[in-house]
C-alpha cells in the first residue's frame, strides 16, 4: 500500500538531499563558492529516517515471520543497490575520479552494505545511511522473533536509556556502530504509524518528544560535515516532526495532487543511490564549458533519468526473479 502524501515527503526530501550535495557539499569538496547554496538540504535525511520508521510497520504487518520480513527488505533494497553500485563503479572507473581512493576490500565489502561497520570506505558517499537502515531492520526482525515487536513502549524506553547513557558516557559501539541517534528517529516514525492507525495512547506523544530531544542531541553531536550546532537546526527538525503530525491527522490529503513530487518519491531510492559521485563527476567535467549552474542541472537531469530507468524499467524485471529465488529456496 502506497500513501501518496508520504511519496510527496520522499520526493521533497530526495530533491533537498540531491541539491544539498550538488551545491553546499560540492562547494566544500572543491573549496569553491557559487550563487547556489542549499545548506539545510541535509534535513532530507532525518525526513527519510522518520519515514522509514513509519513504513517499516507496514512491512511488519504484511510479514509472516522475521525471516519473511528480512526477505522483503532484501528484495526492496539490494537489487537496486547493486545495480546503482555497478553503474557508479563504471563511471568512476572511466572518469578517473574517486576510485583511486578505494581498495578491492572496500569495493567488495560495499556489495554487502556493511562496509561502514568495518570502517571501510564507501564507493559513493551517499551509502553511509544504509547501515543505520540495516541495523534498524535487524532490530525489528529480532523483536518479531521474540514476539515483542508490538511492545513499542518497552523497547523505545530501552533505546532512550541507551541514548541517554551515551550522551553522558560516549561509547563508539553505541554511536558510530549501532547508530543509536538514527534509531531514535526511526522510533519517531513508528509512533506516528501507531497514531495514523489509531493504535496509540497519550504515551506515544510523550515518546515522540523524548525521542526528539535525545535523538536530535545525539544526531547533531555525531555530525561533522556540516554546521548544525545552532537553534535553527533544532527548530527545523521540530518542524519536520510537526509536519508528520499534521500528516497523520489527515491535514495533507491535498498533497496527492503534487504529481511531480510523487514521481520523485517513487524514484527516491534509486536517485539517492545514483546521484552523488556521478553528479560530482558530471559537474566537475562540464562546469568549465557550461558554467556551474548549468552543469548542476545537467547532473540533476542525468541522475533523474538514470533513477527513472532503474525504478520503472529495471526493478520490475529484476525483483520478481530475486523474489522467486528467495522464496523457492524455502520450499
Amino acid at each position: 500500500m502506497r500513501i501518496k502524501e508520504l511519496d510527496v515527503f520522499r520526493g521533497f526530501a530526495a530533491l533537498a538531499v540531491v541539491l544539498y550535495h550538488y551545491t553546499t557539499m560540492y562547494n566544500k569538496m572543491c573549496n569553491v563558492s557559487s550563487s547556489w547554496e542549499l545548506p539545510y538540504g541535509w534535513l532530507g535525511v532525518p525526513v527519510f529516517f522518520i519515514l522509514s520508521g513509519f513504513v517499516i510497520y507496514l512491512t511488519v504487518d504484511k510479514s509472516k515471520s522475521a525471516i519473511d520480513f528480512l526477505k522483503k527488505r532484501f528484495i526492496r533494497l539490494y537489487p537496486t543497490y547493486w545495480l546503482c553500485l555497478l553503474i557508479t563503479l563504471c563511471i568512476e572507473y572511466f572518469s578517473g575520479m574517486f576510485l583511486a581512493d578505494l581498495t578491492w576490500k572496500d569495493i567488495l565489502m560495499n556489495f554487502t552494505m556493511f562496509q561502514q561497520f568495518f570502517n571501510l570506505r564507501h564507493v559513493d558517499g551517499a551509502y553511509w545511511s544504509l547501515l543505520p537502515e540495516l541495523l534498524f531492520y535487524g532490530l525489528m526482525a529480532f523483536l518479531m522473533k521474540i514476539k515483542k515487536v508490538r511492545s513499542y513502549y518497552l523497547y523505545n524506553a530501552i533505546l532512550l536509556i541507551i541514548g541517554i547513557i551515551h550522551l553522558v558516557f560516549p561509547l563508539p559501539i553505541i554511536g558510530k556502530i549501532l547508530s543509536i541517534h538514527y534509531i531514535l528517529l526511526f522510533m519517531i516514525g513508528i509512533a506516528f504509524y501507531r497514531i495514523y492507525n489509531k493504535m496509540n495512547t497519550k504515551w506515544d506523544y510523550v515518546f515522540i518528544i523524548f525521542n526528539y530531544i535525545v535523538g536530535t542531541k545525539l544526531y547533531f553531536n555525531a555530525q561533522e560535515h556540516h554546521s548544525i550546532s545552532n537553534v535553527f537546526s533544532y527548530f527545523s527538525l521540530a518542524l519536520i516532526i510537526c509536519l508528520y503530525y499534521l500528516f497523520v491527522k489527515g491535514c495533507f490529503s491535498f498533497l496527492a495532487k503534487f504529481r511531480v513530487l510523487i514521481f520523485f518519491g517513487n524514484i527516491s531510492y534509486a536517485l539517492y543511490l545514483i546521484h552523488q559521485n556521478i553528479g560530482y563527476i558530471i559537474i566537475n567535467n562540464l562546469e568549465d564549458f557550461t558554467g556551474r549552474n548549468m552543469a548542476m542541472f545537467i547532473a540533476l537531469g542525468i541522475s533523474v533519468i538514470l533513477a527513472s530507468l532503474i525504478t520503472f524499467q529495471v526493478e520490475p524485471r529484476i525483483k520478481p526473479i530475486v523474489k522467486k529465488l528467495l522464496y523457492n529456496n524455502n520450499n
Side-chain angles (χ1 to χ4, degrees):
M1 179 181 70
R2 294 197 74 94
I3 302 172
K4 289 185 177 180
E5 296 96 313
L6 290 183
D7 280 332
V8 171
F9 280 20
R10 280 193 194 94
F12 183 81
L15 280 174
V17 171
V18 171
L19 292 176
Y20 168 71
H21 285 151
Y22 287 175
T23 58
T24 305
M25 285 299 291
Y26 184 83
N27 291 346
K28 289 182 180 179
M29 183 181 73
C30 298
N31 195 26
V32 298
S33 60
S34 72
S35 58
W36 282 79
E37 286 280 348
L38 194 66
Y40 289 96
W42 60 269
L43 285 163
V45 174
V47 170
F48 277 126
F49 283 147
I50 294 173
L51 194 150
S52 290
F54 185 101
V55 300
I56 206 64
Y57 252 41
L58 292 174
T59 308
V60 167
D61 284 340
K62 295 178 182 179
S63 300
K64 300 175 182 177
S65 65
I67 296 298
D68 184 44
F69 168 77
L70 290 175
K71 285 181 178 180
K72 286 184 165 119
R73 289 292 85 198
F74 182 93
I75 294 167
R76 171 71 180 96
L77 296 184
Y78 275 92
T80 302
Y81 170 72
W82 286 333
L83 180 59
C84 293
L85 175 60
L86 289 171
I87 293 171
T88 301
L89 282 169
C90 288
I91 293 176
E92 288 179 352
Y93 175 78
F94 287 110
S95 72
M97 291 179 65
F98 300 111
L99 205 56
D101 296 329
L102 299 169
T103 66
W104 278 107
K105 187 177 181 181
D106 292 324
I107 293 171
L108 290 175
M109 190 56 69
N110 267 256
F111 282 90
T112 70
M113 288 195 196
F114 281 94
Q115 63 274 8
Q116 187 175 331
F117 193 84
F118 297 100
N119 203 29
L120 296 173
R121 292 178 179 270
H122 301 292
V123 168
D124 187 296
Y127 296 170
W128 71 267
S129 66
L130 298 173
L131 181 61
E133 290 270 357
L134 293 177
L135 292 173
F136 178 59
Y137 298 155
L139 170 65
M140 299 310 295
F142 171 74
L143 292 170
M144 290 179 71
K145 185 68 177 178
I146 64 173
K147 303 188 185 305
K148 294 292 183 181
V149 75
R150 303 299 175 189
S151 304
Y152 172 75
Y153 302 141
L154 172 63
Y155 59 80
N156 198 161
I158 292 171
L159 288 168
L160 278 170
I161 291 169
I162 293 172
I164 292 168
I165 291 172
H166 181 57
L167 280 174
V168 181
F169 305 105
L171 297 171
I173 191 171
I174 295 176
K176 289 187 177 181
I177 297 177
L178 297 183
S179 304
I180 185 68
H181 43 297
Y182 302 127
I183 300 242
L184 290 177
L185 294 178
F186 292 130
M187 302 312 294
I188 292 173
I190 293 178
F192 278 127
Y193 176 88
R194 290 168 52 83
I195 295 169
Y196 183 78
N197 286 282
K198 297 179 173 55
M199 302 160 54
N200 65 294
T201 69
K202 63 182 180 182
W203 286 104
D204 289 80
Y205 296 100
V206 174
F207 275 103
I208 287 173
I209 293 169
F210 276 98
N211 285 330
Y212 164 73
I213 294 171
V214 178
T216 50
K217 179 62 176 173
L218 288 167
Y219 183 88
F220 295 143
N221 285 354
Q223 305 306 305
E224 299 172 351
H225 61 278
H226 45 57
S227 214
I228 53 178
S229 56
N230 55 67
V231 173
F232 183 75
S233 297
Y234 287 86
F235 172 78
S236 298
L237 195 49
L239 179 60
I240 289 170
I241 291 172
C242 290
L243 291 175
Y244 273 104
Y245 174 77
L246 292 174
F247 153 67
V248 299
K249 290 300 182 179
C251 298
F252 284 155
S253 57
F254 68 92
L255 290 179
K257 298 177 182 179
F258 287 77
R259 294 186 179 180
V260 172
L261 285 176
I262 290 175
F263 164 77
F264 276 101
N266 289 332
I267 68 168
S268 60
Y269 181 52
L271 180 62
Y272 180 80
L273 293 174
I274 207 76
H275 82 275
Q276 185 167 315
N277 280 9
I278 291 176
Y280 290 165
I281 290 167
I282 293 169
I283 294 170
N284 181 262
N285 282 277
L286 291 183
E287 60 182 339
D288 289 340
F289 303 99
T290 65
R292 172 66 190 285
N293 292 341
M294 181 58 69
M296 181 185 70
F297 283 111
I298 291 173
L300 176 61
I302 291 174
S303 296
V304 169
I305 290 169
L306 284 172
S308 300
L309 290 172
I310 291 166
T311 302
F312 300 121
Q313 298 299 321
V314 182
E315 281 186 9
R317 291 172 171 81
I318 292 179
K319 286 186 176 180
I321 297 172
V322 176
K323 182 177 181 179
K324 186 175 181 181
L325 288 171
L326 282 176
Y327 283 93
N328 278 358
N329 287 340
N330 237 3
N331 298 329

